Amino acid sequence: FMLGAPEYVYKGKDEETKRLISSRVKKGYRVVMLCHSDSYIEDGTFSGTAKPVALFILIDHIRKEAPATIKWFNENGVQIKIISGDNPYTAANIAKHCGVIDSDKCISLEGVSLQETKALATQYTVFGRVSPEQKAALIQALKQSGKTVAMTGDGVNDILAMKHSDCSIAMASGAEAPRNVAHLVLLDSNFAS
């Protein structure tokens, strides 16, 4: 059995399944798929055919303080970028509900080189399927374009980018490693702080 993002665990051609997944993702839901195969995963790779067993449709709850905080940033000329490991359409939909300007300018960075990633930094607002190295490349590119860059993060995958930012902010409720490299730690884990 394999559980994960459909684009990683399911390589099938069933158009109805693909349409269902696409429609949920574009509405801002996270979609996780459970698949089964008689083949095995060896050395982290899977070469067999996976049959869908179930789809799990999940929704991220937006913190109640997020829209007001985003509004304050917008009113004070702070440009917001969403850099996420999630599906770019899911991240863009959540950003839209929070009031992020130009949240429809989204892109997947899956398979994109670091050089290409840097070239895209100023062209998009929401970046999805971003690796830790790509997060750092985006931060570096934004700084090279003359921006002062602050970054919030709560996971180990954020550490490289946090180290390159002018101001890194961690949530106390997140992983320990980002708290150790951050310039600031929000002790109440409240984005509005």
Side-chain angles (χ1 to χ4, degrees):
F1 288 93
M2 294 177 290
L3 180 69
E7 57 263 40
Y8 295 119
V9 299
Y10 179 65
K11 303 298 181 199
K13 308 245 187 277
D14 181 50
E15 291 303 317
E16 186 176 338
T17 300
K18 289 181 177 182
R19 263 193 310 276
L20 177 65
I21 293 167
S22 178
S23 73
R24 296 308 187 268
V25 166
K26 287 181 180 174
K27 290 180 180 175
Y29 295 108
R30 283 184 195 226
V31 179
V32 178
M33 180 179 263
L34 177 66
C35 292
H36 178 265
S37 177
D38 292 330
S39 299
Y40 294 95
I41 297 173
E42 294 182 24
D43 298 323
T45 60
F46 174 75
S47 58
T49 303
K51 181 180 176 183
V53 175
L55 284 176
F56 300 93
I57 311 299
L58 309 170
I59 188 166
D60 280 317
H61 293 282
I62 297 170
R63 293 176 185 230
K64 64 181 179 182
E65 69 275 4
T69 304
I70 297 297
K71 181 180 179 202
W72 185 89
F73 284 139
N74 291 338
E75 291 171 348
N76 287 279
V78 177
Q79 186 180 31
I80 299 169
K81 302 282 187 181
I82 307 297
I83 305 172
S84 175
D86 290 334
N87 181 292
Y89 296 112
T90 301
N93 195 287
I94 293 168
K96 179 182 177 182
H97 281 81
C98 289
V100 174
I101 295 171
D102 291 330
S103 59
D104 58 326
K105 292 181 180 178
C106 66
I107 188 170
S108 172
L109 293 185
E110 183 177 356
V112 176
S113 74
L114 293 180
Q115 199 60 31
E116 292 170 310
T117 297
K118 287 182 177 183
L120 297 168
T122 59
Q123 298 175 37
Y124 292 90
T125 301
V126 179
F127 301 87
R129 298 291 182 227
V130 183
S131 71
E133 294 78 16
Q134 288 171 320
K135 286 183 180 189
L138 287 168
I139 298 301
Q140 290 170 330
L142 291 169
K143 286 178 67 174
Q144 288 169 357
S145 74
K147 306 284 185 195
T148 300
V149 180
M151 178 174 171
T152 61
D154 63 358
V156 174
N157 58 343
D158 296 318
I159 293 173
L160 283 175
M162 291 173 79
K163 285 183 175 182
H164 289 285
S165 69
D166 294 303
C167 177
S168 56
I169 305 162
M171 301 289 182
S173 61
E176 181 179 350
R179 291 194 312 260
N180 290 333
V181 300
H183 295 107
L184 298 170
V185 177
L186 300 179
L187 296 178
D188 60 0
S189 295
N190 184 334
F191 186 55
S193 295

